[in-house]
Amino acid sequence: MNKTRVAVLISGRGSNMTALIEAAKAKDYPAEIVLVVSNRADAAGLARAREAAITTAVIDHRPFGEDRQAFEHALDAELRKNRIEIVCLAGFMRLLSPWFIAHWSGRILNIHPALLPEFKGLDTHRRALEAGAKRHGATVHFVVEETDAGPVIRQQSVPVLQGDTEETLAARVLEVEHRIYPEALRLVAEGQVKFAAPQIEIKNPRV
Ligand code: GRF
């Protein structure tokens, strides 16, 4: 079987990355994790990736300063060097520019710890508790320009229980994350789910 070549982008502990690596060990899984990229050299997930004998790369965003595009060109070059077909964001704490997203359109997935479109952005568990939500959960979606707004591939809810703290709720959601991210990647790698962004019409193209 020709497996889809996947890169996972992380900034931290990498538990979703690990879930993807574990799932991809199955013979019949349609994707393989061939590269893990972090923008932080101290991301705990890097060590876990190395233990799993996966190629890792650190592309520190700081030397690029305000030049987001230069950082993303370096990232793009690393992805192309490794012949990556799908990019999975897993706790990657950099916003990607329209250029990068257009370039990888339909081929970037993200996991968000809430039931989108509810609670986009950060601190989702705290905000769900504050809002008195009865249910919370996680979503895997295609990445589009607008943050946390792309088409949903997979989503699962968990109950919010009496006495929940941010930590207990986060732990319940994380279990779901680890289940649905491999499921969503499978669907995309098998071509069962596709996303094609609308084409932008270029008027008066120069030739
Ligand atoms: C997860 O909660 C994910 O949904 C969010 O960032 C967190 C990353 O955790 N985008 P981990 O690094 O995968 O453990």
Side-chain angles (χ1 to χ4, degrees):
M1 176 169 52
N2 228 351
K3 296 196 177 207
T4 303
R5 295 174 66 81
V6 173
V8 184
L9 271 50
I10 63 168
S11 300
R13 73 187 157 179
S15 71
N16 278 289
M17 172 207 76
T18 303
L20 291 170
I21 292 171
E22 286 301 315
K25 283 182 182 165
K27 249 197 172 152
D28 68 342
Y29 198 77
E32 56 179 335
I33 313 302
V34 293
L35 176 69
V36 169
V37 183
S38 173
N39 64 309
R40 300 181 54 119
D42 61 355
L46 283 171
R48 297 168 104 178
R50 289 185 196 117
E51 276 164 30
I54 291 169
T55 303
T56 60
V58 175
I59 305 175
D60 188 344
H61 60 279
R62 289 169 304 182
F64 296 100
E66 298 287 290
D67 195 349
R68 197 150 52 130
Q69 196 124 335
F71 165 72
E72 291 181 349
H73 273 291
L75 178 59
D76 183 62
E78 189 64 40
L79 298 173
R80 279 188 289 120
K81 188 174 96 189
N82 287 279
R83 304 192 315 282
I84 297 304
E85 297 164 287
I86 293 180
V87 176
C88 289
L89 308 182
F92 183 65
M93 301 304 285
R94 303 295 303 165
L95 289 177
L96 295 166
S97 73
W99 172 80
F100 188 90
I101 291 168
H103 206 67
W104 286 88
S105 181
R107 299 182 293 152
I108 322 179
L109 281 53
N110 181 44
I111 183 136
H112 183 74
L115 294 173
L116 291 174
E118 283 169 34
F119 307 118
K120 296 175 179 177
L122 299 173
D123 296 324
T124 56
H125 308 309
R126 179 176 57 71
R127 289 191 287 137
L129 288 172
E130 281 171 4
K134 295 269 177 292
R135 300 204 66 90
H136 189 42
T139 306
V140 182
H141 63 96
F142 285 108
V143 173
V144 296
E145 253 186 57
E146 195 188 327
T147 307
D148 299 330
V152 170
I153 303 164
R154 206 117 176 110
Q155 185 168 62
Q156 194 175 329
S157 73
V158 299
V160 179
L161 302 178
Q162 196 92 40
D164 257 341
T165 61
E166 268 186 65
E167 288 71 30
T168 57
L169 184 55
R172 196 171 309 122
V173 170
L174 198 61
E175 272 185 40
V176 160
E177 294 186 36
H178 296 165
R179 189 168 333 124
I180 65 172
Y181 212 169
E183 287 173 359
L185 177 59
R186 173 188 280 280
L187 291 174
V188 176
E190 283 176 346
Q192 293 194 58
V193 173
K194 281 189 185 134
F195 168 61
Q199 294 293 307
I200 301 162
E201 191 190 336
I202 302 170
K203 296 214 169 101
N204 304 322
R206 277 192 214 165
V207 279

